[in-house]
Amino acid sequence: MIPTANYLVLSAILFAIGVVGVLVKRNPIVIFMCIELMLNAANLTFVALGHHFARMNGQMYVIFSLAVAAAEVSVGLGIIVAIFRTKQTINIDDMNVMKN
């Protein structure tokens, strides 16, 4: 049996990798992948704590989170495609439309 602390440490490492990826990378698709990594780290925490406390709440939160993540990805990819069609680039530094 793997202790719950190991799952929480793994989740923290995955979340930290996701945060670094969001802050460092300039490609919006990679940023979305890093956001998904952070969401999955949170899901791992929910499942680990739900298993630790013998509750089903963690798994229910994960299902809700997966639905929100799927909606977020579909809307985000739609926005990226729309930006690419107008600007012919997806570089995050070139996206300053709302700055003025």
Side-chain angles (χ1 to χ4, degrees), residues 20-38:
V20 169
V22 166
L23 294 177
V24 171
K25 297 297 181 180
R26 306 280 25 137
N27 188 341
I29 295 174
V30 175
I31 292 172
F32 270 117
M33 290 171 45
C34 292
I35 290 171
E36 291 296 321
L37 187 63
M38 289 190 293

Side-chain angles (χ1 to χ4, degrees), residues 6 23 32-34 37 44 47-48 61 65 77 90 100:
N6 290 358
L23 294 177
F32 270 117
M33 290 171 45
C34 292
L37 187 63
L44 180 63
V47 170
Y61 290 137
S65 174
L77 289 178
I90 57 170
N100 296 328

